[in-house]
Amino acid sequence: MLKVFLERLRQGYRTSAYPLEEPKLPDRLRGLPVIDQAKCASGCEAGIESCPTSALGMKDGKLELDLGRCLFCGECERTLPDGAVRFTPDHKLSARRREDLVLRGQELALAGALEGEMHRVLGRSLKLRQVSAGGCNACEADVNVLTTIVFDLGRFGIQIVASPRHADGILVTGPVTENMKLALEKTYAAVPSPKVVIAVGACAISGGPYIGHPEVHGGAPSVVPVDLFIPGCPPHPMTILDGLLRLMGKIERKRAAEVVE
Amino acid sequence: MSPAPLETRNAQAVPIADVPDLGDEEFRDAILTAVSLGSRVSALFGHPAGEGKLRLFCVLANDELGSLALLSRQVERRFMSLANDCPGVHLFEREIFEQWGVEPHGHPWLKPVRFQPPLVAAGARASQIGVANFFRVEGEEVHEVAVGPVHAGVIEPGHFRFQCHGEDVFHLEISLGYQHRGVERALAGGPDKRTIHYIETLAGDTTIGHAVAHCETLEALAGAEAPARAHAIRGIALELERLANHTGDLGALANDVGYLPTASYCGRLRGDFLNMTAAICGSRFGRGLVRPGGVAFDVEPARSAELQGRLARAMRDIRGATGLLWETPSVMARFEETGTVTRETCEKLGFVGVAARACGVGRDARQDFPLGMFRFSQVPVMTWHTGDVFARAFVRALEVESSGKFIDGQLKALPAGPVLAALPERAPDRIVATLVEGWRGEVCHVALTDERGRFSRYKVVDPSFHNWTGLALALRGQQISDFPLCNKSFNLSYCGHDL
């Protein structure tokens, strides 16, 4: 027994101070990409072709980057003219509307809180049922890690629950395979209203690397209405946590309080 | 005398024309003889040979000799099943039936593997997910428990059927396929800009293992080698992947027996190892690191020094965390003699990785078929003989220790030079089989190229494909409440199996 206590002392306190402090993230993290249209003057068409999921495109002569399709592989940084797309270590990526994920050089409109009655019911306590529908276990693992002592999801009133009947919503990963479509629909139907759907990762938002495969549907939006999109392949756990807290209005509120001070 | 199988080595490209094309009996005899002499079937798959024929390719691996052998035969509508004499091929034969409609005649358990549409052009889906002829035990008070595809935890989907008598499990049938994304179909015709992303997401927790196997395959086809420094960084990443996953599993096992100190510590430590991978390449799972011709990120001296410090601290903590397990009687009582798989079963069914080493079988591709840095820096093979949950946990703990030492050694002596080299054109009409010891076990990639050097077939065998049957057998005679513990002790991949 003594050994257990000694080890407990040695292991120390490990819960991160987030959101009071900004998280410490790796310098090479490929987070929010920044587009510089001016750098595309000399032509970006050739570089666009290198994007594995066609997340990059040109519209009205302007470069577009769809975060919902992006695998954050950084290939475009190498093939486009220098500086046209630059990945920053900024982990804040989530959005409430699919179209907000399409970057054209504007600032990303980060997810806002749930509205009205939804916010009243779910803003303080959010119970989620996770459904992996063709996910490769990377998104799943980085959702699961939020329940460890480092992130300690419980302190934000968020919990992953075992049954859809106990849940306020579902958190979907994977491109939604044909073989999981029915199970996803049934799980969604089993969640009592009001309910939310959160799509985590490129697969769940758009199909990711599997876009266009006849074996998959194009992610969660093809089957259920999605309230929160969290891009990445997989998203960093902090990206996921940031998205969840924004949905509950826990980050906005803090910012507003700071402004008042 | 019939032609002998083509002897080759790991990640060595040979002309497809050199692979002997045997008759029905010869093919059968060659495989059974090799297996009786200590080889096992690493891969067995079909490839269309034109004129309505299918050519079956078999990759035999001999762990003791470190050699691979290739053989093939052409079949039309059916062939004699080998599964009764060589149970290790049972799932491969079912896969051939599902993918190409060619029947392994006399197969004892012919059912869908993934409920996927056939790979034959314009083939219609012949099966509906979850609708199968499940094995059933009848009798007084015998009942069936069905679980999944959606499980209670944050975990991939699969369907499990237990035939029970009270709490005792007579039989568990595992029916997968929910994760099928059509990866093998999409890999044919490549490599193209999506190929590496398919490989990195085959089984997301084995990103490095699969990416290394793929890049070694491409390098073999191009007749080139990655720079030494790249090999060292790949080795570091592969062992970091092993550390992270083994640590996570040890924590999960502790959690499943209600021993929370180790569960908490390991949950955090797993993240520390993932973050070390992220320190190298920006991604916790090693996305974007391993690339054909080398690696995309260097580990500069300052980064290496920082990683060494982080590794030393994490290794101390993991030792302390797992040490508690072995000293706690309530943990050991649950681990020992739970979910036992015998060595004989393991040999017969050809299990790989931790599951095999926990049955006392010293099978480890890093030692038996070394590639990259493992040719120069050996990692000891860790085994334990009891075949139970304890053995699978203990082998993991031993491997954590040796992986830590390997990484530390590599970081302290990184070879100088570049980390990425341009690859020449891939050779046409070649076949290459590559084995890499991923954290779960042997990752096997087999590529066949066409006349332009493109993949005409790319076969992937995740270690889980060999080992799922092991979990089913481990449950026999157990209590149904021990399923989560047994499941964690194998921790197999659903998407790696379903592809």
Side-chain angles (χ1 to χ4, degrees):
Chain A
M1 203 62 191
L2 187 63
K3 271 191 180 160
V4 179
F5 287 128
L6 283 175
E7 192 55 38
R8 176 68 194 86
L9 279 175
R10 273 200 219 106
Q11 297 274 348
Y13 179 82
R14 298 290 180 167
T15 304
S16 83
Y18 182 84
L20 295 176
E21 282 174 25
E22 280 295 301
K24 286 191 199 76
L25 297 169
D27 59 331
R28 283 175 173 170
L29 178 77
R30 289 178 295 284
L32 181 70
V34 177
I35 293 178
D36 186 347
Q37 298 288 358
K39 297 280 169 47
C40 260
S42 55
C44 271
E45 280 79 3
I48 284 172
E49 288 304 309
S50 70
C51 180
T53 53
S54 307
L56 278 173
M58 292 294 276
K59 197 174 173 191
D60 308 329
K62 286 205 159 182
L63 187 64
E64 274 189 355
L65 174 52
D66 181 355
L67 289 181
R69 284 172 166 248
C70 183
L71 303 182
F72 295 77
C73 66
E75 188 62 25
C76 50
E77 270 185 328
R78 292 183 276 274
T79 55
L80 288 177
D82 201 25
V85 174
R86 192 170 50 83
F87 283 87
T88 68
D90 184 354
H91 69 284
K92 300 183 284 296
L93 295 169
S94 54
R96 291 290 308 279
R97 296 184 309 170
R98 179 70 182 86
E99 58 267 30
D100 287 346
L101 293 177
V102 181
L103 296 179
R104 298 185 184 86
Q106 87 281 21
E107 200 174 316
L108 173 64
L110 288 168
L114 290 163
E115 298 82 16
E117 182 66 5
M118 289 280 274
H119 185 257
R120 191 187 67 77
V121 177
L122 306 177
R124 293 203 299 175
S125 159
L126 188 62
K127 310 279 172 188
L128 296 170
R129 170 67 277 206
Q130 205 273 322
V131 182
S132 169
C136 73
N137 204 26
C139 285
E140 289 79 357
D142 266 353
V143 168
N144 214 2
V145 80
L146 294 178
T147 62
T148 64
I149 51 172
V150 178
F151 301 91
D152 192 12
L153 202 54
R155 68 191 157 129
F156 302 108
I158 310 170
Q159 194 189 349
I160 313 264
V161 293
S163 167
R165 298 279 188 217
H166 304 159
D168 301 314
I170 54 174
L171 188 154
V172 185
T173 53
V176 186
T177 55
E178 168 60 21
N179 286 349
M180 266 307 281
K181 182 167 178 272
L182 181 65
L184 175 60
E185 286 168 345
K186 282 189 172 181
T187 309
Y188 177 72
V191 177
S193 291
K195 51 188 161 186
V196 294
V197 177
I198 299 163
V200 172
C203 284
I205 297 175
S206 66
Y210 305 99
I211 291 172
H213 281 213
E215 295 88 350
V216 309
H217 301 269
S222 62
V223 183
V224 287
V226 176
D227 301 281
L228 178 68
F229 299 89
I230 306 181
C233 186
H236 192 277
M238 275 300 173
T239 305
I240 304 173
L241 184 57
D242 173 75
L244 295 175
L245 295 183
R246 281 175 198 282
L247 187 71
M248 295 173 81
K250 295 204 171 188
I251 286 189
E252 258 183 1
R253 268 215 303 264
K254 183 178 154 271
R255 288 266 161 88
E258 279 167 359
V259 172
V260 173
E261 282 168 21
Chain B
M1 209 184 111
S2 61
L6 177 66
E7 288 277 329
T8 174
R9 283 183 295 111
N10 194 10
Q12 188 178 40
V14 291
I16 298 175
D18 289 358
V19 179
D21 197 355
L22 307 177
D24 198 1
E25 286 298 316
E26 292 169 333
F27 184 71
R28 206 184 145 73
D29 287 349
I31 293 176
L32 293 180
T33 308
V35 169
S36 73
L37 293 173
S39 289
R40 61 201 166 77
V41 177
S42 273
L44 175 64
F45 60 95
H47 178 50
E51 297 165 20
K53 286 189 175 171
L54 186 72
R55 191 168 173 191
L56 301 183
F57 284 89
C58 180
V59 179
L60 291 162
N62 190 308
D63 302 319
E64 221 160 290
L65 301 176
S67 66
L68 300 179
L70 306 174
L71 60 160
S72 75
R73 66 160 300 210
Q74 301 204 18
V75 294
E76 274 178 65
R77 277 206 213 116
R78 54 158 53 180
F79 63 100
M80 282 298 290
S81 166
L82 282 158
N84 283 309
D85 299 306
C86 175
V89 303
H90 78 111
L91 204 54
F92 285 116
E93 291 189 343
R94 282 167 58 179
E95 183 185 46
I96 290 165
F97 182 52
E98 184 170 60
Q99 289 184 335
W100 307 102
V102 172
E103 187 193 343
H105 187 63
H107 192 290
W109 193 256
L110 197 56
K111 303 177 180 195
V113 179
R114 309 186 173 96
F115 301 85
Q116 70 172 92
L119 292 178
V120 195
R125 200 176 268 264
S127 55
Q128 198 191 338
I129 186 78
V131 181
N133 179 24
F134 293 109
F135 185 81
R136 244 193 127 109
V137 177
E138 305 268 338
E140 206 177 323
E141 289 185 29
V142 172
H143 62 105
E144 183 179 75
V145 178
V147 182
V150 179
H151 301 292
V154 183
I155 182 174
E156 297 175 73
H159 183 64
F160 300 80
R161 286 206 182 197
F162 300 85
Q163 307 296 320
C164 303
H165 183 259
E167 270 288 292
D168 296 331
V169 178
F170 287 134
H171 178 73
L172 161 64
E173 182 164 358
I174 301 170
S175 183
L176 303 176
Y178 295 89
Q179 301 283 69
H180 179 64
R181 300 152 292 171
V183 183
E184 270 190 16
R185 180 191 52 71
L187 283 169
D192 55 38
K193 61 186 182 181
R194 271 203 209 177
T195 303
I196 192 72
H197 303 288
Y198 289 134
I199 299 294
E200 287 185 333
T201 55
L202 274 170
D205 48 31
T206 316
T207 296
I208 300 292
H210 277 290
V212 170
H214 175 69
C215 292
E216 288 277 1
T217 301
L218 285 177
E219 285 149 19
L221 288 167
E225 171 121 14
R229 193 174 174 87
H231 279 314
I233 295 172
R234 283 180 184 179
I236 291 167
L238 190 70
E239 296 311 308
L240 278 174
E241 190 168 85
R242 196 179 321 276
L243 275 176
N245 283 295
H246 280 5
T247 302
D249 287 348
L250 286 163
L253 285 166
N255 193 50
D256 276 352
V257 298
Y259 190 67
L260 298 185
T262 301
S264 304
Y265 307 150
C266 286
R268 184 268 297 187
L269 283 161
R270 177 178 164 279
D272 286 359
F273 292 124
L274 292 176
N275 289 339
M276 284 183 220
T277 303
I280 297 175
C281 70
S283 159
R284 285 157 53 92
F285 294 85
R287 300 281 158 88
L289 174 59
V290 182
R291 285 294 179 266
V295 292
F297 295 90
D298 197 5
V299 179
E300 317 88 318
R303 203 173 290 269
S304 166
E306 197 216 319
L307 283 172
Q308 286 172 46
R310 283 164 74 169
L311 180 70
R313 289 191 294 277
M315 291 308 292
R316 205 238 50 92
D317 287 353
I318 184 76
R319 243 167 255 145
T322 53
L324 292 179
L325 289 176
W326 327 129
E327 291 172 13
T328 308
S330 63
V331 170
M332 292 299 278
R334 294 278 277 117
F335 279 13
E336 286 181 328
E337 293 176 38
T338 303
T340 304
V341 180
T342 64
R343 180 176 181 136
E344 193 196 355
T345 307
C346 169
E347 300 270 19
K348 258 192 189 159
L349 283 158
F351 300 149
V352 294
V354 171
R357 292 193 285 277
C359 298
V361 178
R363 178 176 293 158
D364 188 327
R366 289 174 294 174
Q367 184 78 241
D368 305 331
F369 307 95
L371 288 178
M373 218 51 199
F374 299 101
R375 291 169 297 177
F376 312 110
S377 294
Q378 273 80 32
V379 179
V381 181
M382 298 300 182
T383 63
W384 194 252
H385 59 280
T386 49
D388 50 6
V389 170
F390 167 73
R392 290 185 285 276
F394 193 55
V395 165
R396 281 184 171 93
L398 294 173
E399 292 186 3
V400 161
E401 199 59 43
S402 59
S403 292
K405 282 202 185 104
F406 174 87
I407 297 169
D408 189 55
Q410 294 303 314
L411 284 172
K412 285 189 170 124
L414 276 178
V419 294
L420 196 62
L423 290 184
E425 290 285 297
R426 289 174 303 279
D429 301 313
R430 290 292 192 282
I431 179 169
V432 54
T434 306
L435 308 182
V436 166
E437 190 71 18
W439 67 272
R440 277 194 189 90
E442 174 183 292
V443 170
C444 173
H445 287 205
V446 189
L448 280 79
T449 55
D450 63 11
E451 69 284 355
R452 292 176 305 151
R454 302 198 148 267
F455 302 142
S456 56
R457 179 85 164 99
Y458 197 95
K459 177 79 202 121
V460 175
V461 188
D462 187 85
S464 307
F465 194 79
H466 296 284
N467 286 0
W468 272 110
T469 314
L471 173 60
L473 294 176
L475 251 287
R476 287 195 177 169
Q478 299 294 307
Q479 303 259 296
I480 193 167
S481 51
D482 276 336
F483 174 68
L485 185 60
C486 293
N487 188 26
K488 284 286 161 41
S489 75
F490 281 86
N491 192 9
L492 302 173
S493 173
Y494 299 72
C495 55
H497 172 279
D498 293 346
L499 299 176

